[in-house]
Amino acid sequence: MQATLDKGSVRFITFGCKANQYDTQVLREALLRRGWNEAQKESDLVVINTCTVTAEAGRKARQVARRLARENPEVRIAFTGCLAESEPELLRELPAVHWVLGNGEAKRPVNFLRELGEELDPEELGIPAGITEFAGHTRAFLKIQDGCNMSCAFCIIPQVRGPSRSRPIAELCAEVTRLVQAGHREVVLCGIHIGHWGLDLGLELGQLLEALASLEIADDEGALDWRLRLSSIEATEVTGGVLEAMARHPRRITPHLHMPMQSGDDGVLRKMNRWYSVEEYLRCCELIRAALPAPAFTADILVGFPGEDERAFTHTLEAAREAGFCRIHAFPFSPRPGTRAGRPAEVGTPVPVEEIRSRRARLSEEAHALGERFKRGLSGQRDTVCLEGRAGLSGRYQRVEVREAPARLQGRLVDVALELESEEVEGEVRTRLIGLLEGEPR
Ligand code: SF4
């Protein structure tokens, strides 16, 4: 069903990863610049940016659309994003859905606005490459590339986002400058497979990091203190160039790496079509530790992939311990139609749902213990926190409570001395990191 609409208010709902949140911001800015107003609650136009990484993510998006249609008979829904790309027919059948727009590249906001009935051509639109702020967030996400060249057995992303395409350095430098000047003192570099940034340009990620970290950004009052964080990067793609840039700019690039491990068992990694062995992954961790001061490692681990038996799962617990993760995102395996693991029995012996639940709980327990150990190691150390309210995120990806921080420091990077506090709540010892302010932030 096609429709045009009078300009009015528009509401955005985003599912999924940081790259999707960035894509929503691109659409938001394009619409607001054309005179639309953003609504937080009711609106006759709702843009739902979808995710298809799990069947659950798709189910939730469809559920939201049905609820919106029930609550407001006038509502018109525009679906976009990965689910709109992978299963457009399913979305078109839903009530109140007027547009289903996939991940069409480059001129995407232009196409989107035309679909909404806006008469314009790309020149006239005047969309700067990228975004100018990250609405409602202290930390801004910046998408440096899209797409993925790999073919992990559980993942549908390469099918819906295509191969890796990198954004040029000059465009990204300009965008970081805009974001920092707009007040975002932490910019998180995200994408679908950021370790492959530059492959299509004959460059490598370390060069981009060096260029971005060397930017001196100022406002009317002088130089600004700001930093970059890498969102998620494969361990094998933390190259010498990446480490050199990180080591050369310790204040500008947080010593935190989120490196999906997925499994700590070589047999399962092969079934997943991952390209490294556990030994190689752990060697990468060692190299990073040798290059950076006390880096923080976080990881994604997929639990219950077909063929993962108790022994393989034990290998994962051991590898997690050896890597010394400070946080683990433990995902339960669920077959994603359209992927190689969509028919689990063809990949390996399926793991019963109850067993997946139990392994996930065991992994979460291990993750908690590792996180506590990491926090204890930080006590007495210094770090820099991006302040949001009474707490903030430290360079090493820890939530730190900063007491008595004046209001004028909100959103700024503040240097703190860390202390670990613990208290007993209902028979359980809970710990938290406290940051004591040091010096005057710039
Ligand atoms: S590396 Fe694997 S899991 Fe990551 S986006 Fe590419 S195919 Fe998916």
Side-chain angles (χ1 to χ4, degrees):
M1 198 187 324
Q2 290 291 312
T4 58
L5 207 60
D6 289 337
K7 263 183 221 173
S9 66
V10 53
R11 178 180 170 194
F12 297 91
I13 298 174
T14 309
F15 289 91
C17 61
K18 293 184 176 72
N20 243 22
Q21 294 184 45
Y22 179 90
D23 291 342
T24 297
Q25 180 63 19
V26 172
L27 289 177
R28 177 184 282 118
E29 290 199 10
L31 265 75
L32 299 191
R33 205 173 293 116
R34 298 294 297 182
W36 294 73
N37 297 308
E38 181 164 9
Q40 298 305 328
K41 290 202 172 133
E42 271 217 358
S43 172
D44 287 347
L45 171 62
V46 180
V47 177
I48 306 180
N49 194 359
T50 57
C51 168
T52 187
V53 101
T54 62
E56 178 65 7
R59 196 186 61 77
K60 278 193 187 150
R62 293 196 298 274
Q63 197 180 43
V64 165
R66 280 197 207 93
R67 183 169 48 73
L68 289 169
R70 254 197 328 271
E71 289 172 359
N72 176 7
E74 303 294 314
V75 76
R76 293 172 187 217
I77 294 171
F79 271 116
T80 181
C82 293
L83 189 65
E85 184 73 32
S86 68
E87 297 178 48
E89 298 311 327
L90 211 69
L91 299 180
R92 275 196 197 101
E93 286 168 5
L94 294 170
V97 172
H98 286 246
W99 301 273
V100 178
L101 307 160
N103 286 327
E105 254 322 296
K107 299 287 190 294
R108 192 172 157 208
V110 178
N111 294 339
F112 188 83
L113 289 169
R114 283 217 177 97
E115 290 285 342
L116 294 187
E118 296 269 1
E119 280 304 318
L120 46 96
D121 67 42
E123 304 307 318
E124 174 211 355
L125 187 62
I127 294 176
I131 59 175
T132 57
E133 59 155 358
F134 211 81
H137 291 73
T138 303
R139 303 181 308 131
F141 300 153
L142 170 59
K143 192 168 84 174
I144 61 170
Q145 63 80 241
D146 205 329
C148 177
N149 299 345
M150 310 310 270
S151 49
C152 299
F154 51 82
C155 183
I156 199 161
I157 288 176
Q159 294 173 48
V160 292
R161 291 218 180 230
S164 181
R165 283 127 18 239
S166 312
R167 297 182 58 201
I169 290 187
E171 192 175 296
L172 292 169
C173 285
E175 191 161 346
V176 165
T177 304
R178 277 200 304 272
L179 290 170
V180 173
Q181 286 173 335
H184 301 287
R185 297 298 185 90
E186 180 171 315
V187 178
V188 183
L189 303 183
C190 65
I192 301 300
H193 193 121
I194 69 170
H196 278 178
W197 180 91
L199 272 189
D200 50 334
L201 306 175
L203 298 169
E204 78 116 21
L205 183 63
Q207 290 165 286
L208 173 64
L209 290 182
E210 184 58 41
L212 294 178
S214 304
L215 290 172
E216 292 301 335
I217 304 174
D219 65 7
D220 294 345
E221 287 167 21
L224 297 170
D225 191 21
W226 61 280
R227 71 184 179 192
L228 297 165
R229 185 185 298 273
L230 297 178
S231 67
S232 175
I233 182 167
E234 299 292 348
T236 51
E237 290 157 12
V238 183
T239 58
V242 169
L243 284 178
E244 269 168 39
M246 292 181 82
R248 203 174 297 134
H249 303 278
R251 188 169 182 90
R252 268 295 144 74
I253 311 178
T254 58
H256 164 219
L257 289 158
H258 180 82
M259 303 181 292
M261 184 166 83
Q262 306 304 6
S263 170
D265 180 81
D266 285 341
V268 174
L269 285 173
R270 273 194 301 277
K271 284 182 193 297
M272 288 176 167
N273 205 27
R274 301 287 285 178
W275 53 91
Y276 50 84
S277 66
V278 180
E279 197 187 328
E280 281 164 336
Y281 184 100
L282 294 173
R283 202 177 315 125
C284 294
C285 295
E286 268 172 43
L287 287 173
I288 299 166
R289 280 215 168 85
L292 303 177
F297 296 150
T298 54
D300 298 330
I301 293 180
L302 188 52
V303 181
F305 193 76
E308 180 195 78
D309 55 15
E310 179 57 30
R311 192 156 166 266
F313 177 66
T314 308
H315 289 159
T316 296
L317 292 177
E318 288 165 0
R321 246 172 259 142
E322 201 168 330
F325 298 130
C326 65
R327 188 171 301 177
I328 296 172
H329 298 151
F331 296 98
F333 172 76
S334 65
R336 184 78 197 84
T339 64
R340 269 183 39 208
R343 285 193 290 271
E346 291 178 18
V347 180
T349 310
V351 184
V353 173
E354 272 312 307
E355 184 57 30
I356 294 181
R357 259 192 221 129
S358 140
R359 284 183 197 166
R360 188 186 185 203
R362 284 162 64 197
L363 181 59
S364 298
E365 249 173 59
E366 185 68 50
H368 179 74
L370 287 169
E372 289 298 305
R373 194 173 77 186
F374 188 78
K375 270 199 263 179
R376 280 196 298 277
L378 291 177
S379 191
Q381 308 291 318
R382 296 184 155 69
D383 207 337
T384 306
V385 169
C386 184
L387 204 57
E388 299 174 74
R390 281 170 50 84
L393 196 63
S394 76
R396 293 180 174 79
Y397 206 58
Q398 302 298 306
R399 188 175 184 277
V400 175
E401 275 182 36
V402 182
R403 292 181 185 154
E404 295 168 18
R408 68 190 161 75
L409 299 186
Q410 285 307 314
R412 302 269 195 99
L413 299 183
V414 295
D415 292 327
V416 294
L418 297 170
E419 270 181 16
L420 193 67
E421 259 191 18
S422 42
E423 62 172 339
E424 208 176 307
V425 183
E426 293 164 8
E428 207 183 284
V429 178
R430 301 219 178 124
T431 59
R432 57 173 173 258
L433 280 167
I434 307 296
L436 306 170
L437 276 178
E438 291 193 322
E440 182 65 13
R442 285 168 279 154

